[in-house]
Amino acid sequence: MGGALAAGVAIPIVLRAYHPRSQVSVETATQSGSWMRESSTPAGANQPRQLVLYRPSLGATDGRLEFTWRVSDHPLSWTFRAQDTDNYYAMSIKALRPGPSAALSVEHFTVYQGIESAHSSKVLILGDNSPALQVRLDVSGATFKLYLEGNAADYWTDNRLGTGGLGFLEQPGQPADVDRVRLSFSEVGGA
């Protein structure tokens, strides 16, 4: 039975900033092999999008994606367990009402076998008026937990995709604008 268990290795990766608007950053990251871009237009999607994945995480099982989002009028989307352009989980966050007691919309969905599921969303009210928000997603088995400013914000389960990469989704004209990205993940058969 012990031989049937796959050992995992956590690989923490800290990136100071990821700014896809800066062509130099994207080109440098792409040339170094760190990040990759792929277009995705699943059935049911409103528009095409770019998957921007951290290449070393492509075989990840469990993991954590952490970043700081500068709250803006543009939504931010990220992806995890991205196996290819037709199979991945995704989340999005957007400001509905800025200022004191800001309101945010958080949603998650799945793209499975080229078909985008309905989006599950919820509205959250923040107690303070911070210009930046700490976001953390924990992926463990079939369980996904979202934390905002260290507080649990969303939770769901899905067992269709067991491995895949971590990264961001970009809609046309809406690049991912985040700071202090940190990725940590385990891989199947890691030593």
Side-chain angles (χ1 to χ4, degrees), residues 99-135:
S101 298
L104 301 174
S105 170
V106 176
E107 56 183 42
H108 65 267
F109 61 94
T110 303
V111 173
Y112 186 67
Q113 296 180 346
I115 300 170
E116 186 168 316
S117 71
H119 292 215
S120 175
S121 68
K122 68 187 331 183
V123 174
L124 304 169
I125 307 298
L126 296 180
D128 62 1
N129 185 21
S130 176
L133 186 64
Q134 299 297 317
V135 178

Side-chain angles (χ1 to χ4, degrees), residues 92-179:
S92 180
I93 188 169
K94 67 181 174 181
L96 298 175
R97 183 184 68 225
S101 298
L104 301 174
S105 170
V106 176
E107 56 183 42
H108 65 267
F109 61 94
T110 303
V111 173
Y112 186 67
Q113 296 180 346
I115 300 170
E116 186 168 316
S117 71
H119 292 215
S120 175
S121 68
K122 68 187 331 183
V123 174
L124 304 169
I125 307 298
L126 296 180
D128 62 1
N129 185 21
S130 176
L133 186 64
Q134 299 297 317
V135 178
R136 182 179 99 209
L137 176 70
D138 288 342
V139 177
S140 179
T143 303
F144 318 121
K145 297 178 185 177
L146 176 69
Y147 297 86
L148 301 177
E149 294 297 318
N151 298 308
D154 201 1
Y155 166 93
W156 77 102
T157 62
D158 189 308
N159 64 3
R160 289 177 283 180
L161 303 173
T163 63
L166 298 165
F168 295 93
L169 292 177
E170 293 182 345
Q171 305 291 348
Q174 297 176 352
D177 190 10
V178 298
D179 287 322

Side-chain angles (χ1 to χ4, degrees), residues 54-74:
Y54 185 65
R55 192 179 305 272
S57 72
L58 293 179
T61 54
D62 296 345
R64 176 177 284 175
L65 173 62
E66 300 174 86
F67 54 87
T68 302
W69 175 51
R70 283 181 260 137
V71 180
S72 73
D73 295 338
H74 299 290

Side-chain angles (χ1 to χ4, degrees), residues 2 8 14 17 24 27 30 35 43-44 47 52 66 82 93-94 98 101-102 127 138 141 164 182 187-188 190:
V14 178
V24 175
E27 289 172 17
T30 303
W35 293 88
Q47 57 189 343
V52 182
E66 300 174 86
I93 188 169
K94 67 181 174 181
S101 298
D138 288 342
R182 179 182 172 145
E187 295 180 297
V188 173

